[in-house]
Amino acid sequence: MKKIPPFDLTEQYKVIAEEINTAVSKVLASGSYIGGSQVEGFEQQFANYIGTEHCIACNSGTDALYLALRALNIGPGDEVITTPFTFVATAETITAVGATPVFVDIDAQTFNLSLEQVEAAITERTRAIVPVHLFGMPVDMTRLLAIAQTYHLTVIEDCAQATGAEWAGQKVGSIGHIGCFSFYPTKNLGACGDGGAVTTHDLAIAGRIRRLRDHGRKGGYYYEELGVNSRLDAVQAAILQIKLRYLDTWNCQRQAIAQRYQQFLASIPGITLPQEVAGGRTVWNQYTIRVLEQPAKPGPSFRDPSFRDIVRQRLQEQGVQSMVYYPLPLHLQPVYSHLGYQPGQLAVAEQASREVLSLPMFPELSAEQQDQVIYCLKDSLL
Ligand SMILES: *Cc1c(COP(=O)(O)O)cnc(C)c1O
């Protein structure tokens, strides 16, 4: 049997190779490689797509989060509430600006920040909340914004896995105060290298981020504050302009695949399927099931293989490559040991880490490949 990868970027390139190659050649011939009209064009198109006044392109999703926090003057002494069940960059950037990430547990169904827990974690030092629309599934932004307004907190949406996702008819990244996007190649809108963007309706924040991404430059060679070098290349901007036109089609293909997985994996014992929240439009950066921990197994620890690990190994042997996002939640990572979180403290996230399994998911995944995934998964659970 042919191997099925968790994602495959070559199939997508084949479809748009001519367009991409032409656009890249043009940029190469132009001699304008950093910033310039390609980047400005992309920023305009992306702002239109997301539905914000402003878009500031930068070097990565990580930088987008860092720049957003800097633009809000969040720093030492401040607390920022976020989820422990996410890619490290979500919390890493909070630490990078000198603030303290405060991890709250997740919702068992959506794997997103539990809004019940958010309110209890707010202190006098809390400045902002960073919800992550994990795996492409939107957070209930109506409820989150209500909490934020009550306590005068800023909301920075981590949209890295959710470009095109919607909550109540609005695109994520246009709902909170600031939206942060990643164009890492495997994201829904991926460049052919690193890239990211910040979106906002706020002119002052947009201006500040523009300066911060360019060394804090005020104009010419004058600096009032220190920034970073986080610009988007013209080549990536040209590629992203082309890919943005396909994004809705690709997201629909992801939705069709997710629907098929839902249909054919329903009512299989030993696993649970992702459940979409009413009011949202999920864009399925990942399709993530739970392989339920076997009750017979006493006191599971992170060192023992979980049943999920065994199933994953069996899938691998049959040529189906799955992924585990994320095997250890951030509050228990060695890098955050100084924060003093204990195992068992954020129990839902910890259990998710032992049970989650992301099945192959990319727009070009064929029906045959999906059938093979479904067949092999059923077999591996026996
Ligand atoms: C990918 C990702 C990031 C970081 O984006 P990069 O472009 O890789 O720096 C941040 N948050 C989440 C949730 C991500 O998945």
Side-chain angles (χ1 to χ4, degrees):
M1 254 191 291
K2 269 187 87 180
K3 274 209 176 111
I4 303 180
F7 52 83
D8 183 350
L9 301 171
T10 62
E11 288 300 318
Q12 187 170 89
Y13 176 66
K14 278 183 209 156
V15 177
I16 53 173
E18 250 186 66
E19 273 180 284
I20 298 270
N21 294 352
T22 307
V24 169
S25 300
K26 261 193 198 155
V27 174
L28 295 181
S30 79
S32 174
Y33 302 144
I34 305 265
S37 65
Q38 289 293 340
V39 173
E40 282 160 25
F42 173 69
E43 287 179 335
Q44 194 56 55
Q45 290 164 26
F46 196 67
N48 284 345
Y49 179 79
I50 297 300
T52 52
E53 285 289 311
H54 312 283
C55 166
I56 307 96
C58 62
N59 196 255
S60 67
T62 306
D63 281 0
L65 289 160
Y66 173 82
L67 291 167
L69 291 158
R70 282 285 310 274
L72 295 168
N73 292 318
I74 291 171
D78 296 333
E79 293 177 354
V80 178
I81 295 173
T82 194
T83 165
F85 198 61
T86 177
F87 181 60
V88 68
T90 312
E92 174 191 33
T93 46
I94 296 169
T95 310
V97 299
T100 304
V102 173
F103 297 113
V104 306
D105 213 345
I106 60 167
D107 175 81
Q109 305 299 330
T110 63
F111 302 120
N112 280 330
L113 202 57
S114 161
L115 299 184
E116 281 84 26
Q117 315 285 327
V118 166
E119 210 158 352
I122 295 171
T123 71
E124 284 185 347
R125 294 176 160 218
T126 308
R127 290 281 316 280
I129 307 170
V130 181
V132 180
H133 306 290
L134 198 73
F135 304 147
M137 190 177 286
V139 169
D140 179 343
M141 290 303 291
T142 316
R143 261 183 81 194
L144 184 69
L145 283 189
I147 298 169
Q149 265 154 21
T150 306
Y151 296 92
H152 307 290
L153 303 176
T154 315
V155 173
I156 302 170
E157 295 178 74
D158 183 339
C159 308
Q161 301 182 6
T163 309
E166 293 174 11
W167 177 259
Q170 275 181 285
K171 291 247 161 48
V172 302
S174 73
I175 310 171
H177 299 90
I178 303 183
C180 297
F181 292 85
S182 166
F183 306 128
Y184 185 79
T186 60
K187 306 293 164 105
N188 293 52
L189 176 63
C192 299
D194 273 314
V198 183
T199 52
T200 183
H201 301 291
D202 189 316
L203 177 64
I205 286 176
R208 180 97 188 274
I209 290 175
R210 271 184 207 291
R211 287 194 297 280
L212 287 170
R213 78 164 170 188
D214 193 15
H215 303 285
R217 185 194 299 266
K218 190 155 181 265
Y221 289 89
Y222 295 94
Y223 312 92
E224 284 177 352
E225 63 176 338
L226 288 180
V228 290
N229 174 359
S230 184
R231 299 169 300 221
L232 186 70
D233 295 350
V235 166
Q236 299 305 339
I239 291 168
L240 286 166
Q241 284 190 44
I242 293 166
K243 287 192 161 195
L244 183 58
R245 298 199 283 270
Y246 291 88
L247 179 61
D248 284 335
T249 307
W250 290 333
N251 279 343
C252 285
Q253 285 171 297
R254 287 177 184 273
Q255 282 162 339
I257 292 164
Q259 244 170 36
R260 208 146 168 280
Y261 274 147
Q262 297 287 65
Q263 189 185 338
F264 290 100
L265 294 175
S267 67
I268 295 178
I271 60 171
T272 61
L273 305 184
Q275 275 179 37
E276 272 196 271
V277 265
R281 176 178 187 259
T282 302
V283 292
W284 304 104
N285 184 248
Q286 301 297 336
Y287 180 87
T288 304
I289 64 167
R290 279 177 191 261
V291 178
L292 301 176
E293 193 73 62
Q294 306 250 295
K297 204 162 159 287
S301 97
F302 284 108
R303 248 159 277 149
D304 302 331
S306 62
F307 185 48
R308 183 268 322 274
D309 297 329
I310 295 164
V311 169
R312 188 177 181 213
Q313 181 60 36
R314 289 177 186 162
L315 281 172
Q316 175 81 36
E317 282 157 15
Q318 299 178 78
V320 174
Q321 293 172 296
S322 58
M323 299 293 282
V324 173
Y325 305 113
Y326 297 91
L328 185 64
L330 297 183
H331 68 288
L332 298 181
Q333 292 284 351
V335 72
Y336 279 124
S337 61
H338 63 280
L339 296 178
Y341 290 90
Q342 299 302 320
Q345 199 173 339
L346 303 176
V348 183
E350 291 167 34
Q351 187 173 347
S353 291
R354 286 191 297 267
E355 294 185 339
V356 285
L357 191 68
S358 297
L359 303 181
M361 169 56 87
F362 50 92
E364 299 76 16
L365 188 75
S366 69
E368 260 174 19
Q369 288 176 308
Q370 272 190 74
D371 288 343
Q372 190 181 333
V373 173
I374 293 161
Y375 175 83
C376 293
L377 180 64
K378 286 180 180 170
D379 190 61
S380 301
L381 285 162
L382 294 177

